[in-house]
Amino acid sequence: MTDTAAPHAPIASLLRLRNRQGLVWLAFAALIALVIAAPIFAILINLGRPAPEVWQHLVSTVLPEMLRNTVLLMLGTGLGAMVIGTGCAWLVTMTEFPGRRLLSWGLFLPLAMPAYVSAFVYSDLLQFAGPVQTGLRNLFGWQRGDYWFPDFLSVHGAIALFVFCFYPYVFMLARAAFLDQSVCVLEVGRTLGLGPWTRFRRIALPLARPMIAGGVALVLMETLADFGAVSWLGVPTFTTAIYRTWFGMGDVTAAAQLAAILLIFVLAAVMLERASRQAKRFHHTSARTRPLPLRPLPPLQAALAILACLLPILLGFLLPGGWLLHLALTEGDGFSFGRLAGFTANSFILAGLSAVILIVVALGLAYMHRIAQSRIASWLIRLATMGYAVPGSVIAIGVLLPLAAFDHVINRWSSHLFGASPGLLLSGTVAALFYAYLVRFLAVAFNAVDGGLHRIRPSLDQAARVLGETPLGVIRRVHAPLLRGSLLTAAMLVFVDVLKELPATMIVRPFDFDTLAVRVYQLASDERLGEASTGSLIIVAVSLIPVIWLHKVVARSRPGDSSGAGAADTI
């Protein structure tokens, strides 16, 4: 009898241990979720506090315009990005024309160009003394007042800018959806006499609608979160109002209440993304996957397809990037190379340390998700990763409120007990910056780490534990080697996101501590775009790394394709 029960003893012990581990990991996740949610709760608490004077001023001056601009930006940017992203994704996935492979890669490039950098470049190109209007006057002999030229410093200019900066979010998800569609469904539509346009409209587009809606939701969240571009273009939005109310009027309560209103718009975008996930899902009924058939385009249609795919790349990346390179070579930042190196070092140190911190926290959450599989764990994960949907300016206000309250409590206690005040311990320090980045970008690191951890079979964990390995030993000797690629991906994405982050860094950073993004914004605001070009090019060059990675991931998204060029490219 003892011989029969003996083999089951290690398994029973392992199950008890896993239950205890699950409680420990749930407690860890609850702590992280509380830390992440604290800034959001701090903002919502301020909704009930009175700020009548500031609100009367806002309502009588800029609030109606802010609401109108926010709605127009969401509608215009979402619609434009959906049309361009979906159309280009269909062309490079389902048709054949010269340069298709190169264009399918190039359509990702605008992701590497921050919107505020593009705003600086286009305002320099399109202003009255810029090269575009100067060239038109020289060509046609015009003088001031002889011609009409669109005003780029307007809400319409902001919409056009955001469309060409953010359409890759829709393109990326739409192309992945088109690559994943069944050849059989498309062939059935063809046998029923449906033409290419009808098959796209009645078959392919409805099947890809959830992914497209998710891409549009990402575009809307990026639009609402932007500060640098709308501030430079002079378009009043909630992000600019939050910054000016905090620093210009010195009213923390009104700034927090504006941030709470902005959260309502963000919540609408998040609900759109959630609704897209809850839509009908379609799955392959066979494990066999055939390459998607590419329809060759006749010469005229091929030329139009090339133009349709090349124009977003030109306006979203090549033109602003080329003008930045021209400014760097002709004007540059040569007289302040030492200071530029200091700003670069600040940015890289912040981004590197943030990547390490977020990977450690994300690994803990992902491991909890693996050990304690329950509804509570899922809700804690959702709460801990909600910060990515919140604009940086909102997070900055939410971070400073509890940290300032903590500093005030410590100062009161210290003054009462010791007769001396230690000053600001957390707010206005680098620690506050790391806290803001943790809230803002934990979802980026968690998604990459959790995806890699899900690919590791649980049987490997059980085998290691039965062989006497400790929980930390399982992570170090089993998971870490298998997660190397996912951890590297998470570090790369977090590094670039922190490097480009502007509003949270501007509000939370210590005094006299500037990063590349902040320095570029300050120089451009002072009409010193030539000096800002060098730092902008550094940000763009580093941002190209995850763009290349994203292209490879999407190209390999079709089941059965291991070529790295996309299933449609195998023909």
Side-chain angles (χ1 to χ4, degrees):
M1 184 173 180
T2 54
D3 293 337
T4 305
H8 298 282
I11 298 177
S13 176
L14 177 60
L15 291 176
R16 290 194 297 270
L17 183 61
R18 284 178 62 87
N19 290 334
R20 291 197 297 270
Q21 287 181 0
L23 293 176
V24 173
W25 285 110
L26 275 176
F28 169 78
L31 177 62
I32 296 299
L34 180 63
V35 170
I36 298 298
I40 309 300
F41 294 150
I43 290 174
L44 296 178
I45 288 173
N46 282 273
L47 279 175
R49 295 182 178 178
E53 296 181 358
V54 175
W55 271 103
Q56 288 176 3
H57 171 72
L58 292 174
V59 170
S60 62
T61 55
V62 296
L63 186 60
E65 188 179 8
M66 284 192 305
L67 288 170
R68 181 181 66 87
N69 290 341
T70 301
V71 173
L72 287 177
L73 284 173
M74 293 179 68
L75 292 177
T77 305
L79 181 61
M82 180 180 65
V83 172
I84 293 177
T86 306
C88 291
W90 177 259
L91 287 174
V92 300
T93 305
M94 300 301 299
T95 64
E96 179 63 75
F97 54 90
R100 179 184 60 85
R101 292 192 182 192
L102 182 62
L103 291 172
S104 68
W105 176 81
L107 285 164
F108 283 89
L109 290 178
L111 284 176
M113 184 67 64
Y116 55 86
V117 173
S118 291
F120 305 151
V121 172
Y122 276 111
S123 62
D124 189 56
L125 285 171
L126 301 178
Q127 64 177 326
F128 180 80
V132 175
Q133 293 200 53
T134 301
L136 290 174
R137 290 195 300 270
N138 293 336
L139 181 62
F140 297 102
W142 291 336
Q143 300 295 326
R144 180 186 290 272
D146 292 342
Y147 64 97
W148 173 85
F149 196 82
D151 184 13
F152 180 67
L153 304 181
S154 63
V155 65
H156 301 96
I159 290 174
L161 177 75
F162 288 155
V163 166
F164 290 107
C165 285
F166 299 147
Y167 80 85
Y169 290 105
V170 180
F171 170 80
M172 174 175 57
L173 295 180
R175 185 164 191 243
F178 292 146
L179 283 171
D180 195 47
Q181 289 185 359
S182 171
V183 177
C184 300
V185 175
L186 298 176
E187 288 181 346
V188 168
R190 186 177 182 180
T191 58
L192 293 175
L194 301 181
W197 166 248
T198 307
R199 291 200 301 273
F200 166 75
R201 181 173 56 87
R202 298 181 59 181
I203 298 177
L205 194 59
L207 291 175
R209 188 177 299 158
M211 296 283 278
I212 294 173
V216 172
L218 290 175
V219 169
L220 296 180
M221 285 187 281
E222 291 292 335
T223 301
L224 292 171
D226 181 82
F227 168 78
V230 292
S231 175
W232 174 257
L233 297 178
V235 179
T237 61
F238 281 97
T239 53
T240 59
I242 290 169
Y243 185 84
R244 290 167 183 167
T245 303
W246 178 281
F247 290 98
M249 301 180 182
D251 195 308
V252 180
T253 301
Q257 290 171 349
L258 284 171
I261 296 176
L262 181 56
L263 276 177
I264 297 175
F265 287 95
V266 174
L267 180 62
V270 173
M271 291 176 63
L272 173 63
E273 195 271 341
R274 300 283 185 199
S276 69
R277 291 188 182 183
Q278 294 174 1
K280 293 182 179 179
R281 288 171 170 80
F282 303 89
H283 304 278
H284 294 286
T285 57
S286 172
R288 301 171 57 187
T289 305
R290 289 185 292 161
L292 290 171
L294 299 180
R295 184 174 71 89
L297 297 179
L300 180 58
Q301 294 182 8
L304 293 176
I306 294 173
L307 180 62
C309 295
L310 184 60
L311 191 61
I313 303 173
L314 179 66
L315 297 178
F317 182 81
L318 295 180
L319 185 57
W323 189 247
L324 283 176
L325 183 60
H326 167 74
L327 291 176
L329 294 176
T330 56
E331 302 178 30
D333 202 17
F335 295 105
S336 56
F337 179 77
R339 296 190 65 191
L340 177 65
F343 301 139
T344 305
N346 289 343
S347 297
F348 278 49
I349 291 173
L350 275 179
L353 291 178
S354 299
V356 173
I357 294 172
L358 266 72
I359 285 176
V360 172
V361 176
L363 187 60
L365 286 178
Y367 200 71
M368 182 279 300
H369 200 207
R370 185 182 182 87
I371 296 297
Q373 297 181 0
S374 64
R375 182 172 297 180
I376 297 177
S378 299
W379 277 104
L380 289 175
I381 292 295
R382 184 172 296 179
L383 185 63
T385 56
M386 69 178 179
Y388 191 69
V390 182
S393 56
V394 176
I395 289 177
I397 301 296
V399 164
L400 288 179
L401 288 175
L403 293 186
F406 173 81
D407 286 342
H408 289 321
V409 170
I410 296 298
N411 284 325
R412 284 198 299 267
W413 286 356
S414 179
S415 299
H416 178 71
L417 295 176
F418 306 106
S421 175
L424 298 179
L425 299 177
L426 293 178
S427 54
T429 65
V430 177
L433 264 181
F434 286 132
Y435 184 21
Y437 295 150
L438 176 66
V439 177
R440 180 81 169 89
F441 301 120
L442 179 59
V444 177
F446 173 79
N447 289 336
V449 174
D450 190 55
L453 200 59
H454 271 301
R455 291 193 292 268
I456 301 176
R457 291 177 297 174
S459 59
L460 293 178
D461 301 26
Q462 299 169 3
R465 296 294 293 129
V466 169
L467 292 174
E469 192 62 72
T470 62
L472 292 179
V474 173
I475 297 177
R476 181 174 58 87
R477 300 184 62 182
V478 178
H479 293 162
L482 297 175
L483 285 175
R484 188 176 293 114
S486 299
L487 295 177
L488 180 61
T489 298
M492 175 182 62
L493 293 175
V494 171
F495 187 94
V496 172
D497 279 338
V498 172
L499 188 69
K500 295 192 298 183
E501 171 61 35
L502 178 62
T505 307
M506 286 190 65
I507 296 175
V508 180
R509 79 188 194 282
F511 294 109
D512 296 328
F513 184 89
D514 290 338
T515 63
L516 273 178
V518 173
R519 184 59 176 169
V520 165
Y521 178 80
Q522 291 174 340
L523 289 173
S525 300
D526 294 337
E527 302 291 342
R528 298 158 65 186
L529 188 58
E531 296 181 48
S533 61
T534 309
S536 300
L537 284 174
I538 295 175
I539 296 174
V540 172
V542 176
S543 302
L544 281 173
I545 299 174
V547 170
I548 297 172
W549 173 84
L550 281 173
H551 170 260
K552 292 184 177 180
V553 169
V554 174
R556 293 172 178 169
S557 61
R558 182 165 177 81
D561 174 48
S562 59
S563 64
D569 296 337
T570 58
I571 294 181

